[in-house]
Amino acid sequence: MTDCIFCSIIAGKIPSQKVYEDEYVYAFRDISPQAPVHILIVPKVHIESATNINSDNAYLVSKCFEAITKIAESENLNDGFRVITNSGKDAGQTVFHLHFHLLGGRPFGAGLV
Ligand code: 5GP
Ligand code: ZN
């Protein structure tokens, strides 16, 4: 999709720190990390947000989570991690290409689930 920053990253038009890639999924370090490990996992296909997941594209969510498991292992997140997806204005979604934040490397404690 034109004008989508994550589509441009996936296409290599905007540089990123890639940590994982397969046929369906691309993962790269967040430009403004909020934890020692902060990685964005995105489907290569442009899906705007969680509200646009449907029976045709839901397998891509599964592919993202399969990637998350592999990345958590390679990043040594043996003590656990948190996965967040923001959907829409109230959640603070700023990039409208479905993505999962993988956060780890420190305890998060209570609050916000
Ligand atoms: P959202 O707020 O939509 O859930 O998350 C968007 C995330 O994308 C933010 O954490 C932000 O730091 C990250 N981000 C925005 N632009 C870029 C970019 O050009 N490169 C990288 N690596 N991350 C970005
Ligand atoms: Zn996109």
Side-chain angles (χ1 to χ4, degrees), residues 40 65 82-86 91 99-103 112-113:
L40 301 172
F65 273 82
R82 186 167 284 179
V83 176
I84 293 176
T85 190
N86 291 320
H99 54 281
F100 299 96
H101 296 258
L102 170 61
L103 299 152
L112 267 184
V113 307

Side-chain angles (χ1 to χ4, degrees), residues 5-113:
I5 196 165
F6 287 177
C7 281
S8 297
I9 285 173
I10 293 161
K13 291 178 193 157
I14 295 176
S16 67
Q17 276 187 272
K18 179 172 90 171
V19 291
Y20 177 86
E21 181 175 15
D22 65 29
E23 191 183 344
Y24 309 98
V25 176
Y26 190 85
F28 54 103
R29 295 194 192 279
D30 196 293
I31 204 165
S32 178
Q34 296 187 35
V37 174
H38 186 171
I39 293 165
L40 301 172
I41 295 89
V42 307
K44 286 185 170 176
V45 168
H46 182 88
I47 300 170
E48 212 168 282
S49 75
T51 53
N52 300 101
I53 296 165
N54 56 45
S55 51
D56 289 334
N57 63 22
Y59 72 98
L60 295 169
V61 175
S62 167
K63 295 290 180 191
C64 284
F65 273 82
E66 287 175 55
I68 285 168
T69 302
K70 289 177 191 161
I71 296 164
E73 207 172 293
S74 61
E75 294 289 320
N76 297 311
L77 301 180
N78 308 312
D79 291 333
F81 55 84
R82 186 167 284 179
V83 176
I84 293 176
T85 190
N86 291 320
S87 182
K89 186 164 69 72
D90 274 6
Q93 185 178 5
T94 57
V95 178
F96 287 82
H97 180 129
L98 178 68
H99 54 281
F100 299 96
H101 296 258
L102 170 61
L103 299 152
R106 68 167 168 86
F108 293 108
L112 267 184
V113 307

